[in-house]
Amino acid sequence: MNYEPVIGLEVHAQLLTETKIFCACSTRFGSRPNENTCPVCLGLPGVLPVLNKKVVEYAIRAGLATHCAITRKSVFARKNYFYPDLPKGYQISQYELPICQKGWIEIEVGTQKKRIGITRIHLEEDAGKSLHEHPKTRQHGASWVDLNRAGVALIETVSEPDIRSAEETVAYLKKFRAILVSLGICDGNMEEGSLRCDVNISLRPVGTEKFGTRAELKNMNSFKHIEKALAYEINRQASLLDAGKTITQETRLWNDDLGVTESMRSKEEAFDYRYFPDPDLLPLVVSDTWITEIEKSLPELPDAMRDRLIRDYQLTPYDAAILTGSRDLSRFFEQSVQLYPEAKKVANWIINEFLRLIEGDESRIAGTKITPQHLAKTLQLVDAGTISGSVAKTVLQKIFESGGGPEAVIAREGLAQVSDTGALEAAIAEIIAANPDQVAKYKGGNEKLIGFFVGLVMKKTQGRGNPGLINKLLKDKLG
Amino acid sequence: MFSFSRGKMKLTHEEVKKIARLARLQLTEADLEKYATQLSAVLSYIERLNQLDTANIEPTAHAFLVPTPFREDKVKPYTEQELSLQNAPDREGPFFKVPKVIA
């Protein structure tokens, strides 16, 4: 039978505040284990949580940017379960009254635009980290707990089950990530866990309304894994349904080594969280004035920026979508265009070369040695004939590796274009002498062979020969 | 989730066992009977409250009328982690040490 996947996402985003949600401990990554802990986040008796105002502001930002209604009076609740990295025995979260409700995000797949509904965004605290192998001794007999992350502020964003394919899933996550990053409230780093995603997926026969039983894929930490896991899971569920079997509602984990999803816990062991309002925290009240103030301070969001890039620079929607994937990248683009106004060319160089150098990881832009000034100068040097386009790639690579401006790199590495007729003629003479057959064929009328000769001369000059000049000299010699 | 209906006045031992399991408590048979009686009394009281007409009353999470206060996002380092670690049942270096969580 033909099935349609029905997918909904729960995304946890770590907020970029200086301190934790309910205490003044630092959120710094990479501190000594348990250095950023205090009686509040350790859950010691006799302490009270005090809410970080910035956390609320950030959650409201996320809500406004995703067209949510902001709840004027929301409530913190306790989610009860036992785990060693949850020191209080409950997680402070929001249940019945989350801070943001009922919004949407627009995604594009191909040329199709689609709105994905947001059910809710709620505030909660993160848990700590359990290591199952001692980081130094490699011992296995126990678990070691680091509570530096316990109490770091998270927003959990729950989507409506509006998503219908792996492609849409990735488009939604990428768009949501771009929004969070542009708001400056999350660094969006999936590998380090600043952005974590649980995917709910069920199948139903095409054309039917009723949802099937779903599986939850937990802790998906890369776009690639999400695509692979969804492809596997759609297949697994379809085979079960075709065989007349039922789907078990359960949590599954993607095993990337084996390329399968595996059951993590069955329904019998399912948690019973016993949510109830946290008596330690009074209702969270936000005023209209505050919301308006936050709304006014919102930066240009990815959708608006994409539309502006298309309009102002005549970029394709595809290029514009890539360049607005992060604030750093769009800033890099706009700064480069200021210095070198051929927008399409700049976009190509950024998308093809710059992103390749930083391996598509936009978080590396801030720390990279290449600046918009370097890119613009390099393109100017190509236009001036100082270097060829292919050498320009090498120049950017060298700047990326060891820094320095393009001119310094060209001088240091001896990359300047050879436009010296004498040097090029010597190389051409050698090549003509070494390839009598091809010379004869060329003279016999096979003019396409000119490319073969240009290639050899370029090789001989290590890509530094001036291609126009080589062409002309070759034609003179061979003609 | 466990439910307690109007007609049913006393918790079964199974229900008490389930609650005990969620709280990681080990109860004897005598405990089960004792807590079944005590918890049932609490629920009966709630049942009495349920008779009030609350149709026009806003759901109330707290009895106080003040909203939650805020704290500015400024780090105030706490430096007595060594004491926290010393009070733990077990530790190793800067880590809390616990029985192995996963196989």
Side-chain angles (χ1 to χ4, degrees), chain A residues 20 25-26 32-38 41-43 83-88 126-130 144-152, chain B residues 84-85 94-96:
Chain A
K20 296 184 177 181
C25 286
S26 169
R32 196 167 45 84
N34 292 307
E35 185 178 342
N36 306 327
T37 60
C38 74
C41 54
L42 290 177
Y83 206 75
D85 57 25
L86 186 77
K88 294 192 295 297
D126 208 345
K129 240 183 199 166
S130 306
W144 291 267
V145 181
D146 173 6
L147 296 172
N148 279 344
R149 210 183 57 187
V152 169
Chain B
S84 314
L85 284 159
F95 289 104
F96 295 102

Side-chain angles (χ1 to χ4, degrees), chain B residues 82-90:
Chain B
E82 191 46 39
L83 283 176
S84 314
L85 284 159
Q86 275 172 19
N87 280 324
D90 198 4

